[in-house]
Amino acid sequence: MNNEIYDKKQLTEYSKNALITMYLAQQEALKKQEKQMEDLNKKLDLLLEQIRLSNQNKFGRSTEKIENAEQLTMCFNEAEVTIEQQTIQEPAIEQVIPEHKRRVKPKGKRQEDLSSFPVRIEEHLLSEEKLQELFCGSYRRLPDEVYRKLEFHPATFEVVEHHVAVYCGNKEQTIVRADRPSEILKNSIVTPSLLAAIINSKYINAVPLYRLEQEFARYEVNVSRQVMANWVIRGSERYLSLLYDRMHQKLYDSKILHSDETPVNVIKDGRPAGSKSYMWVYRTGQAGGTPPAVLYEYQKTRKSDHPREFLKNYHGVVVCDGYQVYHKLEEERPDELKVAGCWAHARRRFANVCKSLGKSGSKGSLAETAVNHIALIYRTDNFLEELNPEERLEKRQLLVKPLVEAFFAWVKSNRDTVPPQSETGKGLAYCVNQEKYLRAFLDDPIIPLDNNAAEISIRSFCVGKHNWHGT
């Protein structure tokens, strides 16, 4: 059909069949235009959603190249890079603290223990002359007005000078020395407290060694990053590796394990700089208030070989996100290993949409409905926390299972109503694909709803990798 415009007189010249044909052709053209407009609107909605999510999250990967040497030290494997192909000369105490002096403990200060913190009492008195002026010599002292302030004292260093007694008999030349304490590293000035402070700063507080070197220098303590790297590696291999292996064995005693992994870029490990590696975390489930055991495992890839080896002797439930590797392990060992899904991951995409749209924009949307569905499942299950395992399982079947059934029925009925590339569409697809694993908690009272425990454990490492320019 062409785009000509006909007036009334021209139309009367056409036959009925011709007019019907023209009308149907026009209707078909309008349908095609509407379909094109609908497709354009969907693409526009997807684009706007991506812009909103980008502004909300701002999780872009940095593509800046690291050029100078100081930046090269800011990485996860800083210790290994720092001492690579170098002979580390252990410093003498005189080099670390020039002209060190023995410190005398201050006298005349009364200390009192208050909630495990030392208390220094400072008295504020009036002079005798002032008291004479005010009271003409006749006064008595009432109970003091007391208030407290909290002071912070920066790190302090103390040189510990060991004097080992040496004895020799008057009648024979045998020389005997008194026992001396074991050294954490032979012929090194480092002490357990100093090494613990360095490891805590680097791996807990995410402070690169070069910054720690600068911090020590401000206290006139000259310990190079190379020396600290050497201490960290030797101390970890000698002591912490044994503790790690023991904890790995005890990890198998837990009926529930949480697992997660996060990417991290390293340098100088035999691959091109910036190659992606992964830090895996394994954490025991909460049980009777017992402190959890948390182990990290660094690997160069995200292959299934790594959790397969780490969990080879484990029999129980692994709570994780939707990564297919764990599902593969369950298929290989169906009678020994069970995988449970994470409802926090199922909720995440819907929550991101709601955040990007705002409270008013998300009202009545599929994303908001999904978030409310999942919130009701959480709220109902949380009321069962104090019950014993048998009662909790019974109540989960009675109260929570119908909510889960209703949620998945709703998901499947709405999956085809939104573009699959949209954030909501991806969230609905995730729920359908993970349904088996998201339902796992219904049949076992000790399985939690989510994998938040592992994510909390790996969060500090994620903070650190940004400080190290790991990503």
Side-chain angles (χ1 to χ4, degrees):
M1 180 178 179
N2 57 34
N3 294 324
E4 294 183 26
I5 300 176
Y6 300 91
D7 58 25
K8 184 176 181 181
K9 182 179 179 181
Q10 290 173 315
L11 290 174
T12 58
E13 297 175 355
Y14 286 93
S15 66
K16 181 179 179 180
N17 289 336
L19 289 174
I20 292 175
T21 301
M22 292 170 60
Y23 177 79
L24 293 175
Q26 186 181 43
Q27 290 293 100
E28 186 66 27
L30 286 174
K31 287 180 180 179
K32 289 182 179 180
Q33 290 178 358
E34 288 175 357
K35 184 66 169 58
Q36 291 174 349
M37 289 298 297
E38 184 179 349
D39 291 341
L40 287 174
N41 286 334
K42 287 181 178 179
K43 291 180 180 179
L44 180 60
D45 290 341
L46 284 174
L47 181 60
L48 292 175
E49 181 184 76
Q50 290 171 1
I51 293 174
R52 287 193 297 265
L53 291 172
S54 176
N55 290 336
Q56 176 70 31
N57 299 321
K58 296 183 179 178
F59 284 154
R61 173 188 169 95
S62 174
T63 56
E64 294 180 0
K65 293 184 179 180
I66 303 174
E67 301 292 350
N68 61 62
E70 185 172 86
Q71 285 179 316
L72 285 174
T73 63
M74 294 165 53
C75 56
F76 161 66
N77 58 330
E78 177 187 7
E80 289 80 0
V81 171
T82 300
I83 68 169
E84 184 182 38
Q85 296 179 348
Q86 294 187 39
T87 302
I88 306 302
Q89 183 67 39
E90 182 69 29
I93 192 68
E94 291 79 12
Q95 296 173 294
V96 175
I97 305 179
E99 299 180 1
H100 70 276
K101 299 178 181 179
R102 300 181 192 174
R103 300 196 176 183
V104 181
K105 211 171 184 178
K107 296 182 180 180
K109 291 185 178 180
R110 193 156 50 98
Q111 290 191 343
E112 178 183 327
D113 185 25
L114 179 64
S115 300
S116 77
F117 288 100
V119 176
R120 184 182 76 241
I121 295 178
E122 291 189 358
E123 293 187 319
H124 308 283
L125 307 174
L126 292 176
S127 66
E128 192 62 34
E129 293 79 7
K130 186 67 175 179
L131 290 170
Q132 288 289 345
E133 178 185 339
L134 293 173
F135 300 110
C136 300
S138 177
Y139 67 89
R140 71 181 186 277
R141 185 171 174 175
L142 302 175
D144 293 349
E145 176 187 345
V146 179
Y147 66 95
R148 292 180 173 88
K149 302 287 185 181
L150 183 63
E151 284 194 354
F152 168 72
H153 298 283
T156 58
F157 293 85
E158 181 181 33
V159 175
V160 181
E161 189 174 86
H162 294 269
H163 289 242
V164 180
V166 181
Y167 305 91
C168 178
N170 291 328
K171 296 182 179 180
E172 52 184 66
Q173 298 301 314
T174 302
I175 297 177
V176 178
R177 292 178 175 82
D179 294 335
R180 56 185 294 175
S182 300
E183 296 179 341
I184 186 170
L185 294 178
K186 192 171 179 61
N187 299 323
S188 173
I189 66 169
V190 70
T191 59
S193 62
L194 179 56
L195 181 55
I198 294 171
I199 292 176
N200 181 72
S201 296
K202 165 67 177 175
Y203 297 102
I204 303 300
N205 296 331
V207 179
L209 293 181
Y210 91 94
R211 292 185 191 167
L212 195 58
E213 177 185 13
Q214 295 172 350
E215 178 70 12
F216 282 5
R218 283 189 278 270
Y219 296 103
E220 298 183 350
V221 175
N222 304 316
V223 182
S224 70
R225 73 193 78 173
Q226 289 82 6
V227 168
M228 285 190 279
N230 183 49
W231 289 346
V232 166
I233 292 174
R234 290 174 59 199
S236 299
E237 290 177 346
R238 182 168 299 180
Y239 301 104
L240 297 184
S241 61
L242 302 176
L243 178 61
Y244 184 95
D245 292 339
R246 179 58 177 160
M247 289 180 66
H248 192 174
Q249 293 175 357
K250 297 299 292 182
L251 208 70
Y252 291 154
D253 295 339
S254 178
K255 296 180 180 179
I256 300 290
L257 280 187
H258 294 268
S259 181
D260 199 6
E261 74 287 331
T262 186
V264 56
N265 287 6
V266 300
I267 57 177
K268 293 188 178 180
D269 71 340
R271 297 178 294 167
S275 296
K276 183 179 288 187
S277 300
Y278 288 86
M279 180 62 75
W280 300 71
V281 63
Y282 301 91
R283 171 176 173 151
T284 57
Q286 305 292 343
T290 303
V294 184
L295 291 182
Y296 298 85
E297 184 181 48
Y298 168 78
Q299 295 289 355
K300 292 183 179 180
T301 70
R302 204 185 181 199
K303 294 181 179 179
S304 60
D305 296 347
H306 310 312
R308 180 183 292 111
E309 175 64 23
F310 192 94
L311 300 171
K312 64 182 180 181
N313 294 323
Y314 178 68
H315 298 73
V317 179
V318 177
V319 184
C320 56
D321 56 23
Y323 188 28
Q324 186 62 31
V325 158
Y326 301 104
H327 306 159
K328 185 178 180 181
L329 296 181
E330 183 186 53
E331 293 172 359
E332 295 172 354
R333 302 166 54 197
D335 298 329
E336 301 174 349
L337 198 66
K338 182 176 182 179
V339 172
C342 175
W343 280 90
H345 275 81
R347 177 186 180 276
R348 189 157 298 163
R349 290 188 184 276
F350 305 123
N352 289 341
V353 173
C354 292
K355 288 179 183 178
S356 65
L357 293 174
K359 188 174 182 179
S360 58
S362 63
K363 192 172 183 61
S365 66
L366 290 178
E368 184 194 48
T369 305
V371 168
N372 291 338
H373 265 298
I374 297 173
L376 183 57
I377 293 172
Y378 265 95
R379 192 179 306 117
T380 306
D381 194 72
N382 287 342
F383 284 127
L384 313 178
E385 286 185 352
E386 303 301 323
L387 301 180
N388 62 49
E390 292 77 14
E391 291 176 329
R392 189 176 190 190
L393 178 59
E394 180 183 352
K395 294 297 183 181
R396 274 185 167 179
Q397 291 289 319
L398 180 65
L399 302 176
V400 184
K401 186 175 181 179
L403 300 177
V404 174
E405 298 282 0
F407 173 76
F408 282 111
W410 174 86
V411 167
K412 293 170 184 177
S413 65
N414 287 278
R415 182 180 181 182
D416 297 329
T417 63
V418 292
Q421 302 91 345
S422 67
E423 194 75 355
T424 299
K426 292 177 181 178
L428 294 173
Y430 179 91
C431 292
V432 171
N433 296 334
Q434 300 296 316
E435 181 177 0
K436 170 187 174 183
Y437 309 103
L438 292 172
R439 287 177 176 271
F441 80 100
L442 294 173
D443 300 320
D444 193 329
I446 65 172
I447 296 179
L449 267 72
D450 53 47
N451 196 34
N452 287 348
E455 294 198 6
I456 290 172
S457 296
I458 210 166
R459 189 172 298 157
S460 60
F461 180 82
C462 293
V463 172
K465 70 180 183 181
H466 290 293
N467 284 3
W468 307 320
H469 286 186
T471 56

